[in-house]
Amino acid sequence: MWRSEAGRARRPAPRALRRGARHSRREVSLAALVFLHSLLVPVPVPAAAAPPVVVQVGGTGGRTASAGRRAELARQVLIRRTSYGIPHILGENLAAAAFGLGYCQAEDYGMEVVRRLVEGRGESARRFDSGGLEGDFSARQAHRRAVDTYPLLDADTRAVLEGFAAGVNHYIALHAAELPDWVRPDFTAFDVAARDIGGASSGVVRAFLRRMGAEPRSGSRGEAEGDRGNADRADGDACCDEGSNAWAFAPSRTVSGKAILLRNPHLAWTAGYYEAQLTVPGVLNFYGDFRIGGPFGIIGGFNEHLGWATTNNDPVLDVFYALEADAARPDHYLLDGASRPLRREEVTVEGKDGNGGVRETREFWFSEIGPVIHRVGSMIYVVKSAGFGEYRRGQQFLRMMRARSLAEWRDAMSMRAVASSNFTYADREGNIYYVWNAAIPALPHAPPGGAAVPARGASDVWTDLVPFEALPQLLNPGGGYVQNANDPPYFTNLNEILDRSRFPANFPEPRLGLRTQHSLDLVHNERKLSLEDVLALKHSMRMLVAERVKADLMVAVLETGPEAEVRAAIELVGGWDNRVSPESRGAVLFEAWFHRYTATTDTSAWFGVPWSADRPTETPYGLGERRRAAEAFRWAVGETNRRHGRWDVSWGEVHRVRRGEVDVPVGGCSGTLGCFRVLNFEEDRDGKRRASGGDGWVLAVEFGDRPRAYSVLAYGQSPRPGSPHHDDQAELFAKNGAKRVAFTEEEIARRLVRAYHPGGEAATTRRGR
């Protein structure tokens, strides 16, 4: 898969993953099947270093840091907790800093850190329940991949992984009483690294098999924001609107004349974003978000020189191929006229259920192209995917965290170890930059659109990636801004719209959802913004879909000659300001109407005028079916009365931030409705809707001589109800507020609450400010 990309750029670079105690064999799970492909994919090292395929996986491998080594690392790192429990981790070296991060995560998240590392080992079924058996098949393969490729990582990355594992183990050793008896301080760097091995969502494969009439097994590995298979449904299902927003402003657009960056991911409030600063003097000084269970994952944040934000994209990285079976030789196929053997492997995992132990073995078959996912008649179907088995993601992120210039940062990005995600960038030199990042295949054939491509010879199968330089990107565009809200890259900046025809056929087609249109409406102007202005703008409470269809809705309802209550309700909506601020009346009723109106209709019928690339920020608008819209409104009036006692209830009476002792109103809605301040909600027993995802982590930074930044993490540093940092940012978030980031040593000292060595006595205790 990974070959030289030289000379492959065909376009100019634009500025622009049970049963009882018995041994069974069953059809392989899709996630495990797909992931095992990674063991066959070459990596960018000499062929002699390629890892072997494992027949039976057992054990974790690696060495656990001794108690003496842990004590040494604890002495080499100082944790400074400032207000809101933010850890500023000062290490003498990278291993010590990562030790502090692992210890802090375990302090704040406890058993959740253990659970995620156990998942990385592929032992969920063994340690928790047999329901984890499916995921364990692919996780074991990822773990083996981590073991086999670990020597190929650079020394600094290995130091971080080893330090993190030792930090978690140090916490476990000192706090055994609060953990289950089976938890031991025996995690290794392999366990940590396994979480960053490139995997895949089995969704694309499942869809293919269903089209083939073969119902697949379920089960998949955990997925990370910004990598393969994450659920980035830009302007998608209203209950599950996951994605992100990102902005960067050039000096020409800011009051200070300094570049500004906004990072604002939208995931479930159980995603485990963890705010922290890692500092090793002269080596690393990075502030941002980490993910619980590891030092890397998908990272966004800043150092003294630059910063970046990620937003999910959705490149097509999987290609299905149809091979002709060799009728004369079982388990062989024909390629380039020659008979080639399929390789059969077995993988065994163990677990537990109510009757005792579980041991299961499954078969995997492989071609030289990729794993076999289906056989029917004379055909063998395989999948080849980009990014599978990639092990250097942490190494790439560490290089990005240490970069001092755009050139160094782009050099790290060119590793292509992060298979997807848009990246939005800004720096102290005043540069702003956007790249639609994807390790996307350079196809020798037309995009198959989810169908299988006949592969009669090796030349029919993709081998290279589209070069990084040929990806859609913009550097310092006119108008002084770049933005992304998960839509394809072409309208990143309306002054320099990217021409779709300049990019390969397997790139996405133009699309611009209402959330992105809202974003563009906020930034495509000549207004000069302060850092505080950017934060205020980010909290726009407009519901764009109301601006597009409300007039038609009023006409449609009034044309029916409605009864008095319905007439009064539509008049309320007519006078509503189209916002979802806590005090807004009419928004709850409108939202109920919209969900009813769109529930049983294809999206193409929602609007009278569909979206058009010729009018990208003005369409869609109007109602597609006025009679049904009027019927849905009458239903919404009754339903809102039934649920909330009256139809003129305010948004904040229904929509709440509820965490710990906090129960306050909040503004924001789904990106489907055109909100930029995206919030997802779950209904509580009392009928109120509790924020459960979407907007939750916000970071805005201005790059002067010293970075100046604000942040807020809605669900705080700890999910533990007894922690003072479980709910201490919830009300701040609900009120559209943010805390000043302490980045410099002076700022940390002013806001210091406690300084200590992991497991040791407090070195300093002070009231934070």
Side-chain angles (χ1 to χ4, degrees):
M1 176 178 66
W2 293 93
R3 296 189 181 178
S4 170
E5 298 166 357
R8 295 300 298 247
R10 298 186 180 121
R11 309 289 192 280
R15 279 189 17 164
L17 143 214
R18 74 197 163 172
R19 295 295 163 212
R22 56 188 179 274
H23 193 270
S24 63
R25 296 182 179 179
R26 307 181 63 179
E27 180 185 357
V28 63
S29 73
L30 270 178
L33 178 75
V34 171
F35 185 78
L36 274 174
H37 177 37
S38 68
L39 302 178
L40 303 179
V41 175
V43 296
V45 294
V53 173
V54 178
V55 175
Q56 181 163 332
V57 182
T60 60
R63 291 184 296 177
T64 302
S66 68
R69 174 58 174 159
R70 297 200 305 266
E72 179 185 14
L73 287 170
R75 289 191 296 268
Q76 294 174 351
V77 62
L78 183 65
I79 299 168
R80 289 87 54 82
R81 295 269 189 173
T82 55
S83 51
Y84 298 97
I86 310 304
H88 305 260
I89 301 165
L90 179 61
E92 295 181 11
N93 49 64
L94 287 170
F99 181 95
L101 180 62
Y103 189 89
C104 285
Q105 287 193 12
E107 275 191 308
D108 291 330
Y109 270 74
M111 190 62 192
E112 180 62 19
V113 176
V114 173
R115 184 186 67 79
R116 296 192 185 202
L117 290 173
V118 167
E119 284 180 350
R121 282 179 169 176
E123 295 182 353
S124 290
R126 177 185 172 195
R127 293 304 186 186
F128 299 113
D129 60 72
S130 59
L133 202 63
E134 292 290 339
D136 281 352
F137 275 98
S138 54
R140 287 291 184 95
Q141 307 313 309
H143 193 278
R144 177 52 58 184
R145 178 68 165 174
V147 171
D148 292 332
T149 57
Y150 192 77
L152 307 178
L153 294 171
D154 65 27
D156 286 345
T157 304
R158 296 197 307 269
V160 171
L161 296 168
E162 290 162 14
F164 185 90
V168 174
N169 289 337
H170 196 57
Y171 183 86
I172 292 171
L174 296 175
H175 299 84
E178 71 181 53
L179 299 167
D181 291 343
W182 60 263
V183 178
R184 296 287 185 269
D186 61 358
F187 290 112
T188 71
F190 296 163
D191 304 331
V192 182
R195 291 181 50 78
D196 291 331
I197 296 295
S201 168
S202 57
V204 173
V205 179
R206 285 200 300 266
F208 174 81
L209 291 181
R210 289 190 181 108
R211 288 193 295 271
M212 298 294 296
E215 188 65 22
R217 296 179 60 94
S218 63
S220 65
R221 294 181 61 227
E223 296 153 358
E225 185 228 356
D227 208 338
R228 294 302 318 283
N230 58 1
D232 174 23
R233 293 174 291 273
D235 293 333
D237 182 70
C239 71
C240 307
D241 187 19
E242 297 186 347
S244 305
N245 298 327
W247 289 339
F249 296 97
S252 63
R253 288 291 309 278
T254 67
V255 172
S256 66
K258 307 296 183 183
I260 291 176
L261 175 72
L262 174 75
R263 172 160 170 74
N264 179 213
H266 301 157
L267 292 182
W269 284 10
T270 55
Y273 281 102
Y274 190 75
E275 184 175 0
Q277 182 177 11
L278 283 186
T279 303
V280 179
V283 177
L284 171 69
N285 190 12
F286 180 84
Y287 192 108
D289 52 275
F290 300 84
R291 282 295 190 92
I292 291 302
F296 298 120
I298 289 294
I299 290 176
F302 65 96
N303 61 29
E304 305 98 317
H305 309 280
L306 54 84
W308 71 89
T310 59
T311 51
N312 296 342
N313 58 3
D314 192 22
V316 179
L317 307 184
D318 312 290
V319 181
F320 300 99
Y321 290 99
L323 303 172
E324 184 179 353
D326 185 345
R329 304 181 70 185
D331 301 324
H332 283 65
Y333 62 96
L334 301 175
L335 193 70
D336 288 317
S339 181
R340 314 266 180 118
L342 294 174
R343 188 186 318 44
R344 172 181 174 272
E345 303 289 353
E346 291 184 350
V347 176
T348 299
V349 299
E350 297 179 354
K352 64 179 181 179
D353 63 14
N355 298 319
V358 175
R359 181 178 176 87
E360 185 169 321
T361 295
R362 294 182 182 175
E363 292 183 343
F364 298 79
W365 290 89
F366 299 91
S367 71
E368 63 190 81
I369 296 170
V372 175
I373 61 170
H374 187 53
R375 295 200 220 186
V376 59
S378 63
M379 303 307 295
I380 299 171
Y381 295 92
V382 302
V383 61
K384 182 171 183 179
S385 306
F388 287 176
E390 175 58 68
Y391 61 93
R392 304 167 302 152
R393 183 167 68 177
Q395 183 167 314
Q396 176 175 327
F397 271 122
L398 185 57
R399 286 183 57 185
M400 293 163 64
M401 294 160 70
R402 299 171 65 178
R404 300 170 61 90
S405 67
L406 175 59
E408 290 184 8
W409 188 86
R410 289 187 80 251
D411 188 56
M413 286 290 296
S414 68
M415 289 176 64
R416 315 297 291 278
V418 179
S420 63
S421 276
N422 304 284
F423 282 79
T424 299
Y425 167 102
D427 66 27
R428 190 167 67 180
E429 299 303 314
N431 294 304
I432 62 172
Y433 173 72
Y434 162 85
V435 60
W436 185 82
N437 174 66
I440 192 167
L443 299 180
H445 49 73
V453 177
R456 297 180 177 85
S459 62
D460 296 325
V461 181
W462 73 264
T463 57
D464 299 326
L465 301 179
V466 173
F468 182 80
E469 294 76 13
L471 298 174
Q473 49 199 284
L474 286 171
L475 174 62
N476 299 326
Y481 74 88
V482 290
Q483 64 78 40
N484 186 267
N486 304 116
D487 279 319
Y490 312 109
F491 299 97
T492 296
N493 179 298
L494 293 179
N495 297 295
E496 298 191 18
I497 296 173
L498 299 176
D499 184 355
R500 171 64 184 89
S501 68
R502 296 174 60 191
F503 301 102
N506 56 331
F507 279 43
E509 293 304 315
R511 182 184 73 241
L512 205 62
L514 291 176
R515 175 158 55 92
T516 303
Q517 293 187 42
H518 192 162
S519 175
L520 285 163
D521 192 51
L522 295 172
V523 305
H524 182 64
N525 50 57
E526 298 180 357
R527 178 185 174 189
K528 288 185 179 289
L529 303 166
S530 68
L531 183 59
E532 292 76 12
D533 291 334
V534 170
L535 280 168
L537 204 63
K538 174 260 168 298
H539 289 113
S540 171
M541 291 293 160
R542 291 165 54 197
M543 183 193 285
L544 196 59
V545 75
E547 299 176 15
R548 300 292 177 86
V549 305
K550 193 172 77 173
D552 272 13
L553 175 62
M554 293 184 66
V555 171
V557 172
L558 291 174
E559 284 178 343
T560 66
E563 57 270 31
E565 184 179 32
V566 173
R567 178 179 290 274
I570 196 63
E571 289 175 354
L572 172 72
V573 169
W576 163 54
D577 63 1
N578 303 333
R579 297 177 183 270
V580 289
S581 301
E583 66 276 9
S584 295
R585 297 187 183 274
V588 172
L589 177 57
F590 184 90
E591 180 190 41
W593 163 77
F594 186 79
H595 290 328
R596 180 71 171 186
Y597 172 64
T598 60
T600 59
T601 304
D602 185 85
T603 56
S604 62
W606 291 3
F607 300 102
V609 177
W611 182 78
S612 166
D614 295 329
R615 302 173 63 191
T617 61
E618 301 171 23
T619 52
Y621 65 84
L623 290 176
E625 298 185 18
R626 290 194 177 192
R627 176 177 295 181
R628 196 165 54 79
E631 293 170 352
F633 188 80
R634 183 176 293 104
W635 175 90
V637 172
E639 182 67 6
T640 306
N641 270 332
R642 184 186 71 80
R643 285 179 172 267
H644 307 300
R646 63 187 198 277
W647 45 258
D648 64 345
V649 63
S650 72
W651 187 263
E653 291 178 78
V654 175
H655 299 84
R656 317 286 294 180
V657 168
R658 289 177 162 177
R659 188 166 181 85
E661 299 300 316
V662 175
D663 185 352
V664 293
V666 67
C669 72
S670 167
T672 306
L673 296 165
C675 279
F676 190 73
R677 207 281 176 83
V678 170
L679 279 178
N680 305 319
F681 298 89
E682 294 180 0
E683 188 167 321
D684 283 338
R685 292 182 178 180
D686 62 358
K688 307 293 186 183
R689 304 189 71 202
R690 168 179 43 84
S692 60
D695 201 347
W697 166 236
V698 182
L699 177 66
V701 56
E702 180 178 74
F703 291 97
D705 293 336
R706 294 180 176 182
R708 188 170 71 92
Y710 290 91
S711 70
V712 65
L713 182 60
Y715 46 87
Q717 290 293 113
S718 177
R720 297 180 173 189
S723 170
H725 308 303
H726 175 66
D727 60 4
D728 58 346
Q729 298 185 59
E731 187 167 1
L732 180 68
F733 169 83
K735 292 182 176 179
N736 302 338
K739 60 188 184 292
R740 274 295 300 269
V741 165
F743 181 75
T744 67
E745 289 300 311
E746 294 82 0
E747 291 169 328
I748 295 168
R750 285 198 300 268
R751 298 176 192 147
L752 187 64
V753 174
R754 181 183 176 220
Y756 59 99
H757 297 284
E761 294 300 320
T764 304
T765 302
R766 184 182 304 174
R767 180 179 296 276
R769 301 192 298 274

